[in-house]
Amino acid sequence: MIDLKKLQVWFITGTQDLYGEETLKQVAIHAEEVAKSLNTNEKISVSVVYKPIVKNTDEIFETLQSANTDENCIGVITWMHTFSPAKMWIRGLNVLQKPLLHLHTQFNRDIPWSSIDMDFMNLNQSAHGDREFGFMVTRMRKDRKVVVGHWQDEEVASQIDTWCRAAAGWHDWQGAKFARFGDNMRYVAVTDGDKVEAEMKFGFSVNTYGIGDLVAVINAVDEESIQNLLKEYEAIYEIADDLKAGGARHSSVYEAAKIELGLRKFLEEGNFKGFSDTFEDLHGMIQLPGIAAQRLMADGYGFAGEGDWKTTALVRACKVMGSGLAGGNAFMEDYTYHFDPENAMVLGSHMLEVDASLAKGKASLEVHPLGIGGKADPARLVFNVAGGDALNASLIDMGNRFRLLVNEVKAVEVEQDLPNLPVARVLWKPLPDMKTGCAAWIYAGGAHHTAYSQNLTAEHLSDFANIAGIEYINIGIDTKINQFRNELQWNEVFYK
């Protein structure tokens, strides 16, 4: 999985030549201390890199232009220590292509009541310097995140990290490649979409590869690699004796291991960050890639079933944004409902391919028939997902724009035995309640496939949507249907 500390956000402090050499030296000392403090703050997942203070149009332009071309820079944080006339920023902001966070802070937390004088006031002008800068960014219609508070405040650090993680997810999409084995499930609308527009908007490409190309790689997997992977399966998962070497059904697990190795090799050699397949187009494969998809997702690949490339890309982005946080991110599907008036819930699952990074406890490797796809009984990991705060996110092609829809949910423990449902499963209660949450999702055109996250918040996804420049819709504790429908209608006017 990606190491976020290898990524950088540049800390750029604005000032001007007006104040004299001694004041500017102090500005630089303060700016470097703030950047160093943010960089060493355990809450912030990426590297915060101090850049020399900028005092004029040329320095601003050169610094922001350099940020564009630095492959490790995923965004810039700006702060105006003093007043920095904003016309100096126009040329640089015009060329800036990286995400922008405006930190509205000041070096001192408190006013030094007994000693404050005009020298102090001239040095510490963030209160109106940041407003000057803010006007220009707004006037130029450039999106950014604004974080307000003292730079040593832990809440400020948390907000900065949320944006940094969103910027990391966006950075990961730039130039990313996703493989689509076959087309999407026939006649299905929401999993389809405009791949050309997506590449123009998001920076990643989606291309189709014949299943025969994958089967050729699977069939070339060497025996030693298969046996090593089978030993790994037995060491990690609960597994019945008849599925182990020499057991009556061992061949199913053997074929699953072979598929995983071939699929992994195909993705690695093609430098792909995720993939999708469809059970309607797996000619030449003995079984559907169940455990293969689950384990590849656990290693950071994006995945979604039935050719759903948008959810594949979104799962990958969520995995990058959630890297290092407790909990997992995985492909999910709303499968069926429990409409008990006192305890209404959604059962989320999929045929085979929910990522075991969500699992509560040790997953069980099992082989069972699958009444779809027309293939041999596939191997899969079976487990329950723990309760707790979570969310479902759906990336939708609305025709004239992309929409990112997020429903915050409360997952609950699976307390009932499900002996005849040998798949991964999770129960959740949509916020604000079952009826409102489901109705709002349907009004917004949400897909049945989602990225399910245990460690991201709505703020992560909102920051990500803002960086991407797409519509963001949230369904949460405060959602009211009439107001929600009005928001959707207002957005239709905005995006025309």
Side-chain angles (χ1 to χ4, degrees):
M1 192 51 190
I2 190 168
D3 179 5
L4 295 184
K5 269 296 179 184
K6 293 180 179 178
L7 304 176
Q8 300 177 357
V9 293
W10 287 9
F11 191 86
I12 303 169
T13 305
T15 184
Q16 60 179 322
D17 290 309
L18 177 68
Y19 303 108
E21 185 176 348
E22 288 305 314
T23 298
L24 292 179
K25 283 182 181 178
Q26 196 64 37
V27 169
I29 291 170
H30 287 177
E32 189 167 9
E33 184 175 341
V34 174
K36 185 179 294 185
S37 175
L38 295 176
N39 185 51
T40 57
N41 191 306
E42 293 182 355
K43 286 184 177 291
I44 297 180
S45 53
V46 306
S47 296
V48 180
V49 177
Y50 167 75
K51 289 295 174 179
I53 61 174
V54 290
K55 307 179 294 296
N56 54 58
T57 299
D58 290 340
E59 290 177 355
I60 292 168
F61 177 81
E62 290 166 7
T63 302
L64 295 182
Q65 183 75 293
S66 296
N68 286 337
T69 57
D70 190 294
E71 63 180 14
N72 294 317
C73 177
I74 64 170
V76 299
I77 298 175
T78 56
W79 168 47
M80 306 304 116
H81 191 310
T82 66
F83 199 77
S84 180
K87 288 172 69 175
M88 298 192 308
W89 287 85
I90 294 174
R91 186 168 171 233
L93 289 172
N94 266 331
V95 300
L96 180 63
Q97 298 172 339
K98 297 291 176 75
L100 172 63
L101 182 145
H102 182 189
L103 178 59
H104 185 38
T105 190
Q106 62 185 27
F107 186 72
N108 58 295
R109 194 195 72 172
D110 303 322
I111 294 174
W113 303 105
S114 63
S115 62
I116 187 170
D117 57 18
M118 283 310 301
D119 288 338
F120 180 92
M121 297 283 276
N122 284 333
L123 174 61
N124 298 283
Q125 299 186 55
S126 302
H128 62 292
D130 277 328
R131 293 168 193 255
E132 166 75 356
F133 177 77
F135 161 75
M136 185 51 66
V137 182
T138 297
R139 169 69 187 270
M140 296 176 70
R141 280 29 175 209
K142 290 189 71 71
D143 210 333
R144 78 286 198 191
K145 180 167 187 171
V146 178
V147 175
V148 179
H150 192 254
W151 50 278
Q152 292 176 316
D153 186 341
E154 290 303 303
E155 183 180 353
V156 166
S158 294
Q159 286 184 283
I160 291 173
D161 182 61
T162 296
W163 173 84
C164 288
R165 289 179 175 278
W170 176 252
H171 175 79
D172 185 74
W173 266 9
Q174 307 314 299
K177 298 194 302 180
F178 295 99
R180 199 175 189 220
F181 297 109
D183 202 351
N184 68 308
M185 182 178 173
R186 288 187 283 274
Y187 302 110
V188 177
V190 77
T191 56
D192 215 336
D194 190 334
K195 297 190 289 294
V196 175
E197 185 65 25
E199 187 164 355
M200 292 167 57
K201 189 68 177 175
F202 299 131
F204 63 73
S205 63
V206 181
N207 285 293
T208 298
Y209 295 84
I211 198 67
D213 296 334
L214 173 59
V215 169
V217 179
I218 292 171
N219 290 338
V221 172
D222 64 274
E223 184 65 23
E224 182 180 0
S225 296
I226 297 172
Q227 293 303 324
N228 288 337
L229 184 54
L230 290 170
K231 291 176 184 176
E232 183 178 331
Y233 286 173
E234 291 191 19
I236 296 175
Y237 308 115
E238 299 284 354
I239 182 168
D241 287 340
D242 68 341
L243 297 179
K244 296 178 181 178
R249 296 191 298 152
H250 177 65
S251 61
S252 294
V253 183
Y254 180 95
E255 290 299 333
K258 187 175 177 181
I259 290 171
E260 179 186 335
L261 290 165
L263 188 48
R264 188 178 296 273
K265 183 177 182 181
F266 190 101
L267 296 173
E268 288 175 350
E269 290 183 348
N271 196 30
F272 296 105
K273 292 183 176 179
F275 70 102
S276 182
D277 60 22
T278 174
F279 61 89
E280 291 178 321
D281 188 3
L282 292 173
H283 181 72
M285 294 182 67
I286 292 175
Q287 61 179 257
L288 276 70
I291 191 173
Q294 290 176 300
R295 284 172 51 85
L296 285 162
M297 264 193 290
D299 288 340
Y301 286 96
F303 173 81
E306 290 101 55
D308 186 356
W309 54 269
K310 297 187 297 298
T311 303
T312 293
L314 184 58
V315 168
R316 167 64 185 188
C318 288
K319 285 186 172 292
V320 173
M321 287 188 275
S323 180
L325 297 176
N329 294 273
F331 169 54
M332 187 60 68
E333 181 170 270
D334 300 61
Y335 232 96
T336 195
Y337 292 144
H338 184 62
F339 266 138
D340 178 352
E342 303 300 321
N343 191 32
M345 296 179 288
V346 178
L347 173 62
S349 183
H350 203 255
M351 296 185 299
L352 301 170
E353 310 101 339
V354 174
D355 178 359
S357 67
L358 303 179
K360 179 185 179 182
K362 195 172 185 179
S364 173
L365 196 166
E366 301 181 18
V367 174
H368 298 276
L370 187 68
I372 195 169
K375 296 291 181 181
D377 300 348
R380 83 291 300 271
L381 298 175
V382 178
F383 54 88
N384 291 329
V385 176
D389 293 335
L391 59 79
N392 277 299
S394 175
L395 184 61
I396 315 154
D397 186 343
M398 295 296 293
N400 65 335
R401 65 190 186 278
F402 288 98
R403 169 180 288 169
L404 182 59
L405 175 63
V406 173
N407 185 195
E408 298 169 84
V409 305
K410 178 72 74 172
V412 297
E413 300 290 340
V414 180
E415 297 179 348
Q416 303 296 325
D417 291 332
L418 299 165
N420 298 313
L421 188 67
V423 294
R425 51 273 176 130
V426 56
L427 289 170
W428 69 77
K429 297 183 177 185
L431 295 182
D433 57 71
M434 182 78 163
K435 291 184 177 181
T436 304
C438 292
W441 188 271
I442 289 172
Y443 277 124
H448 56 285
H449 288 169
T450 61
Y452 180 89
S453 178
Q454 295 172 317
N455 55 26
L456 299 178
T457 65
E459 186 179 359
H460 288 99
L461 276 298
S462 175
D463 284 354
F464 184 80
N466 289 336
I467 290 170
I470 62 173
E471 181 186 16
Y472 173 79
I473 300 291
N474 176 258
I475 305 169
I477 191 65
D478 296 323
T479 297
K480 302 286 192 296
I481 282 295
N482 287 341
Q483 182 179 346
F484 185 82
R485 295 187 70 183
N486 285 339
E487 180 183 348
L488 295 177
Q489 291 172 338
W490 296 332
N491 285 6
E492 286 300 323
V493 176
F494 178 85
Y495 284 99
K496 275 189 177 179

